[in-house]
């Protein structure tokens, strides 16, 4: 199947972009694997006619927003993000009326409609840098309250208003299980994604995006790590560090939407790309929603 997929990519002039949370076999066949920030940058640069996205809906939408001339297809169009669904454009507009001086800082884990009413986007790897670079003193951070608090702690000079969104998967990474894992693996460092709750983050030796966690493990000398984020990241961690050991906190750190992405579906999408439904956004949403994404790329440089 891998040979067929590689052949189809060439025949159909398609590039496959994959997030670290999809299954390892899909990551391995992708042309580019990354965190949300790296994938957004890459999507803006691709030369192929077709982008096939192995990830969730907001990632495909970001690719379309940043490279509207391309055809963007999701490996599984039903793969969404529970957090992205927790905020609507109408809610954002209401809060904007209440806090007219606040800059709306929108985590990329959001719909294109929500981005369209935001001032700037961020990802977990550039949020601190981007927020620091803004002129506004008041920040309305959407939708993730945990990433928002993590950023606020590092930007004390600004005032934060939070939305009440969260990642339903990272919420399942619980303190009791983490303490048990630490007890079992006493030498292990805890590496956590900022979408985790404070009860987890307070035990972390390092907090960062998926790409940052992978980079940390690559360069750190410790031999054991407890990973507090989605399990897909373990694929790259193990591949890059065969002599090191990686442990999960519990058996619930699985984003079922990311796991909808399979090699068989990828092959089928590529084979039938001419008749597939692509990621479609109307022109005025593209016009408004690409601005905060482009601003992020500019401020995060
Ligand atoms: P990254 O920004 O690390 O890619 O995280 C994306 C995500 O969905 C985390 O749940
Ligand atoms: Fe969304 Fe959470 Fe899945 Fe990331 S892990 S895509 S934030 S539901």
């Amino acid at each position: 199947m891998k040979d067929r997929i590689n052949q189809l990519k060439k025949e159909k002039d398609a590039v496959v972009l994959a997030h670290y949370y999809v299954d390892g076999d899909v990551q391995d066949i992708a042309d580019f694997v990354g965190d949300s920030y790296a994938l957004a940058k890459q999507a803006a640069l691709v030369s192929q006619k077709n982008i096939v996205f192995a990830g969730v809906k907001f990632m495909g939408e970001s690719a379309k927003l940043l490279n509207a001339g391309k055809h963007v297809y999701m490996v599984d169009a039903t793969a969404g993000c529970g957090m992205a669904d927790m905020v609507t454009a109408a809610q954002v507009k209401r809060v904007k009326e209440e806090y007219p001086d606040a800059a709306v800082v929108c985590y990329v884990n959001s719909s294109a409609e929500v981005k369209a009413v935001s001032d700037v986007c961020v990802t977990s790897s550039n949020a601190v840098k981007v927020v620091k670079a803004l002129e506004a003193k008041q920040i309305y951070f959407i939708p993730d309250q945990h990433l928002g608090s993590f950023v606020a702690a590092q930007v004390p000079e600004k005032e934060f208003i939070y939305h009440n969104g969260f990642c339903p998967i990272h919420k399942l990474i619980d303190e009791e299980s983490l303490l048990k894992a630490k007890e079992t693996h006493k030498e292990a460092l805890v590496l956590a994604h900022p979408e985790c709750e404070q009860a987890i983050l307070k035990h972390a030796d390092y907090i960062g995006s998926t790409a940052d966690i992978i980079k940390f493990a690559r360069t750190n000398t410790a031999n054991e790590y407890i990973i507090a984020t989605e399990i897909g990241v373990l694929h790259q961690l193990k591949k890059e560090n065969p002599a090191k050991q990686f442990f999960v906190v519990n058996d619930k750190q699985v984003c079922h939407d990311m796991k909808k992405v399979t090699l068989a579906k990828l092959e089928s999408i590529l084979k039938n790309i001419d008749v597939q439904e692509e990621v479609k956004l109307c022109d005025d949403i593209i016009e408004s929603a690409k601005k905060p994404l482009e601003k992020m790329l500019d401020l995060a440089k």
Side-chain angles (χ1 to χ4, degrees):
M1 192 189 289
K2 286 185 179 167
D3 289 344
R4 287 199 302 270
I5 289 175
N6 281 326
Q7 184 58 32
L8 281 165
K9 285 197 291 190
K10 282 191 216 130
E11 276 171 25
K12 307 284 179 165
D13 192 22
V15 65
V16 177
L17 307 183
H19 190 265
Y20 288 126
Y21 287 168
V22 299
D23 277 343
D25 51 2
V26 180
Q27 292 187 38
D28 287 345
I29 207 151
D31 299 285
F32 188 87
V33 192
D35 68 356
S36 306
Y37 177 41
L39 287 167
K41 282 195 292 188
Q42 191 63 26
L45 295 176
V46 301
S47 53
Q48 288 86 343
K49 184 172 87 175
N50 299 306
I51 298 174
V52 180
F53 221 107
V56 294
K57 186 177 173 195
F58 75 80
M59 296 175 176
E61 285 187 349
S62 292
K64 184 72 190 173
L65 291 169
L66 289 165
N67 210 338
K70 305 291 171 188
H71 301 285
V72 181
Y73 303 89
M74 301 306 296
V75 174
D76 187 317
T78 71
C81 167
M83 179 199 291
D85 295 337
M86 289 181 188
V87 62
T88 64
Q91 284 172 316
V92 177
K93 282 187 199 157
R94 272 201 297 279
V95 178
K96 269 169 79 152
E97 276 169 26
E98 213 180 313
Y99 299 95
D101 295 332
V104 181
V105 176
C106 177
Y107 191 20
V108 286
N109 297 37
S110 51
S111 67
E113 287 74 16
V114 165
K115 289 183 177 78
V117 293
S118 299
D119 294 302
V120 66
C121 287
V122 293
T123 75
S124 56
S125 65
N126 60 36
V128 172
K129 187 173 183 184
V130 170
V131 169
K132 277 189 177 164
L134 296 175
E135 269 177 33
K137 292 276 169 277
Q138 210 175 35
I139 305 296
Y140 173 35
F141 198 97
I142 57 168
D144 186 11
Q145 55 186 294
H146 303 302
L147 179 63
S149 308
F150 171 74
V151 175
Q154 291 170 78
V155 193
E157 66 275 19
K158 303 205 186 220
E159 183 197 338
F160 281 69
I161 302 138
Y162 304 102
H163 187 73
N164 57 3
F166 59 90
C167 165
I169 312 309
H170 285 79
K171 196 179 168 62
L172 298 174
I173 302 177
D174 64 300
E175 188 177 18
E176 195 187 332
S177 304
L178 177 59
L179 292 177
K180 263 192 218 148
K182 274 170 70 77
E183 190 54 33
T184 314
H185 310 290
K186 289 201 170 54
E187 301 298 315
L189 296 184
V190 177
L191 313 186
H193 195 281
E195 286 178 15
C196 291
E197 292 180 338
Q198 184 52 31
I200 298 299
L201 296 183
K202 73 179 183 199
H203 298 290
D205 296 291
Y206 179 74
I207 302 170
S209 76
T210 49
D212 291 337
I213 286 175
I214 291 166
K215 187 172 169 203
F216 183 92
R218 185 188 304 139
T219 50
N220 191 270
T221 52
N223 284 321
E224 296 188 3
Y225 302 86
I226 297 167
I227 304 301
T229 189
E230 211 275 344
I231 195 171
V233 166
L234 269 81
H235 178 69
Q236 290 295 330
L237 287 170
K238 288 180 179 168
K239 201 165 137 179
E240 288 190 20
N241 309 280
K244 297 183 180 179
Q245 278 195 289
F246 298 94
F247 307 102
V248 290
V249 177
N250 61 33
D251 59 3
K252 298 182 192 128
Q253 347 178 174
V254 182
C255 178
H256 296 287
D257 281 275
M258 288 283 187
K259 300 307 178 233
K260 288 178 178 174
V261 176
T262 63
L263 272 189
K265 287 179 194 170
L266 174 58
E267 185 188 7
S268 164
I269 292 280
L270 284 165
K271 211 186 275 172
N272 306 304
I273 208 156
D274 311 315
V275 291
Q276 288 301 322
E277 196 160 319
E278 53 185 290
V279 174
K280 280 255 186 271
L281 295 168
C282 60
D283 289 347
D284 45 336
I285 289 287
I286 292 185
E287 204 42 50
S288 313
K290 77 175 182 190
K291 287 184 192 145
L293 271 174
E294 286 172 348
K295 189 166 177 180
M296 171 187 84
L297 295 183
D298 188 36
L299 294 179
K301 257 182 213 152

